[in-house]
Amino acid sequence: MFAISLGDGAELRPLEPWQAEEFLAHIDRGREYIGVHVGLPDVTADLESARSWLQGYADKAAADAGRLYGIWLDGLLVGGVLFRIFDVRLGNCEAGCWLEPDAVGRGLVTRAARVIIDWAIRERGMHRVEWLVSSENTASINVARRLGMTREGALRENHPYRGVRQTTEVWAVLASEWPVRTTGTR
Ligand SMILES: CC(C)(COP(=O)(O)OP(=O)(O)OC[C@H]1O[C@@H](n2cnc3c(N)ncnc32)[C@H](O)[C@@H]1OP(=O)(O)O)[C@@H](O)C(=O)NCCC(=O)NCCS
């Protein structure tokens, strides 16, 4: 239900608390890979915390303050895209993403992020979509580039993660820069 085709057997769908078991199994497959740069696996350590994280996004969606969507490939949940922040009043939002390792290298996140950013800008009137990424996370920086985002600067050593202070790069795209085209993957 409510699935958007991303092509090549991939679909974007809402990801909700009732799917906690499926979500946890997916996180378990990607726990090590995803955790290198982002703390998602640490806050979804077991079924209870996984459900609670999904519930947090359900609450955000109900308040129109965030969104969460899963990416299914041939029926298997393999990743997701989200709006961690969705501030309708200010017209600013922050997008994010993850994949389990077997789903990397197919353009799934670029395609999924295009769909949700397109919605945020065209339907919801967002002015600015941000992408905050560790300076060490080349794969995610490449996604920001493919989305046509601009690197605006770096928050030097602002984010302590697993004992190391990471530098966060800020990338963003403005509504005026978002292309009219809504199909295609590159
Ligand atoms: C960030 C992350 C999602 C990027 O995954 P990814 O598969 O490289 O990104 P995409 O889904 O956009 O796919 C792009 C890759 O698929 C290739 N590709 C194949 N077909 C493609 C298509 N139709 N369209 C776009 N890219 C395609 C691209 O060339 C690129 O591969 P390359 O980097 O080897 O050149 C992944 O590395 C990840 O989950 N990391 C851990 C969590 C994380 O860091 N999240 C981001 C936090 S800011």
Side-chain angles (χ1 to χ4, degrees):
M1 262 184 114
F2 306 124
I4 292 178
S5 172
L6 299 173
D8 302 324
E11 283 185 334
L12 188 65
R13 308 180 204 159
L15 177 56
E16 300 176 343
W18 66 272
Q19 292 151 306
E21 285 185 22
E22 186 180 8
F23 174 62
L24 181 64
H26 149 63
I27 291 293
D28 283 343
R29 289 190 295 273
R31 194 168 289 285
E32 200 177 327
Y33 173 75
I34 297 166
V36 171
H37 296 295
V38 296
L40 173 60
D42 298 346
V43 295
T44 54
D46 52 24
L47 189 56
E48 191 185 343
S49 55
R51 188 176 288 119
S52 156
W53 190 79
L54 293 176
Q55 187 62 51
Y57 269 89
D59 294 345
K60 280 193 194 193
D64 203 19
R67 302 280 159 167
L68 175 65
Y69 302 95
I71 299 170
W72 277 260
L73 182 61
D74 299 326
L76 184 71
L77 177 62
V78 295
V81 286
L82 52 76
F83 286 117
R84 194 180 72 86
I85 295 171
F86 200 78
D87 188 329
V88 178
R89 193 176 62 83
L90 293 180
N92 297 327
C93 56
E94 182 200 323
C97 69
W98 76 92
L99 286 172
E100 62 181 70
D102 284 356
V104 167
R106 302 162 189 250
L108 295 179
V109 149
T110 297
R111 288 182 247 178
R114 281 216 181 100
V115 171
I116 67 164
I117 293 172
D118 210 62
W119 173 77
I121 290 176
R122 289 187 207 294
E123 284 194 51
R124 302 306 312 282
M126 283 291 163
H127 183 79
R128 172 183 167 83
V129 182
E130 295 184 347
W131 191 268
L132 268 56
V133 53
S134 162
S135 59
E136 303 287 310
N137 193 348
T138 307
S140 181
I141 289 170
N142 287 341
V143 174
R145 269 206 195 90
R146 273 192 294 274
L147 292 171
M149 292 183 166
T150 298
R151 183 185 183 279
E152 299 184 330
L155 307 171
R156 295 180 304 152
E157 299 183 7
N158 75 318
H159 183 54
Y161 183 63
R162 296 186 174 178
V164 180
R165 294 196 68 90
Q166 297 184 346
T167 290
T168 301
E169 293 192 8
V170 180
W171 289 71
V173 64
L174 304 180
S176 57
E177 299 163 344
W178 190 247
V180 173
R181 169 180 63 89
T182 58
T183 55
T185 53
R186 293 218 178 226

